[in-house]
Amino acid sequence: MKYTIDKKEQYVVFTPLEEKIDSLLAPKLKSELLTIHAEGYPNVVLDMSQVKYVDSSGLSALLVGDREFGRNGGIFIISGVQDHVMKLLKISMLDKKLNLVNTLEEAGEAIFMHEIEGGEEEEGA
């Protein structure tokens, strides 16, 4: 699987450079997301702008990312979803479960807001 990783201060941008995330590539995507999480990055943005097709195993990889990063108070954001992939997310109702944004800029803002809200909750506890 070809991809790029851009490590920022508060999050990592993971960009698959593949047109399809199917049963051949989904296990690799899961593995990479879990590795990023294990390295101590609490937040990740999955930039799907290059991905034109996702099958059920690809959707499963997205759910694994969402679960793992959400487990310790982090956030998993999916950016740049193409039309065909968005249709599949809507059909499977995952558009309601996953954090979807249009651009990487919006993803950065969402992570910033998540961090602020998380900090306020900790102070109030």
Side-chain angles (χ1 to χ4, degrees):
M1 174 182 213
K2 296 180 199 139
Y3 58 87
T4 62
I5 294 181
D6 184 10
K7 295 179 178 178
K8 309 273 189 194
E9 191 174 324
Q10 293 182 310
Y11 61 97
V12 172
V13 177
F14 185 91
T15 307
L17 302 175
E18 303 282 352
E19 287 196 358
K20 294 180 178 181
I21 296 182
D22 54 17
S23 58
L24 295 174
L25 294 179
K28 182 69 175 160
L29 176 58
K30 284 181 192 177
S31 171
E32 293 299 331
L33 291 173
L34 293 173
T35 299
I36 291 167
H37 190 257
E39 288 175 355
Y41 289 94
N43 307 310
V44 75
V45 176
L46 180 62
D47 178 3
M48 299 272 288
S49 58
Q50 307 288 314
V51 179
K52 296 179 179 163
Y53 173 81
V54 174
D55 70 2
S56 60
S57 55
L59 293 178
S60 171
L62 300 181
L63 288 169
V64 166
D66 186 62
R67 183 183 70 229
E68 287 302 311
F69 285 90
R71 183 175 285 166
N72 298 323
I75 189 169
F76 180 74
I77 297 179
I78 302 170
S79 161
V81 178
Q82 300 291 319
D83 289 344
H84 179 77
V85 176
M86 183 59 83
K87 284 178 188 169
L88 188 58
L89 290 171
K90 286 181 177 177
I91 288 168
S92 59
M93 297 182 67
L94 291 177
D95 62 320
K96 307 277 189 265
K97 164 110 178 80
L98 299 170
N99 296 304
L100 305 173
V101 297
N102 293 322
T103 66
L104 290 175
E105 186 176 284
E106 287 178 47
E109 291 170 6
I111 287 171
F112 180 71
M113 292 306 295
H114 179 79
E115 292 287 315
I116 289 173
E117 290 166 3
E120 287 176 1
E121 288 170 16
E122 288 171 18
E123 289 170 16

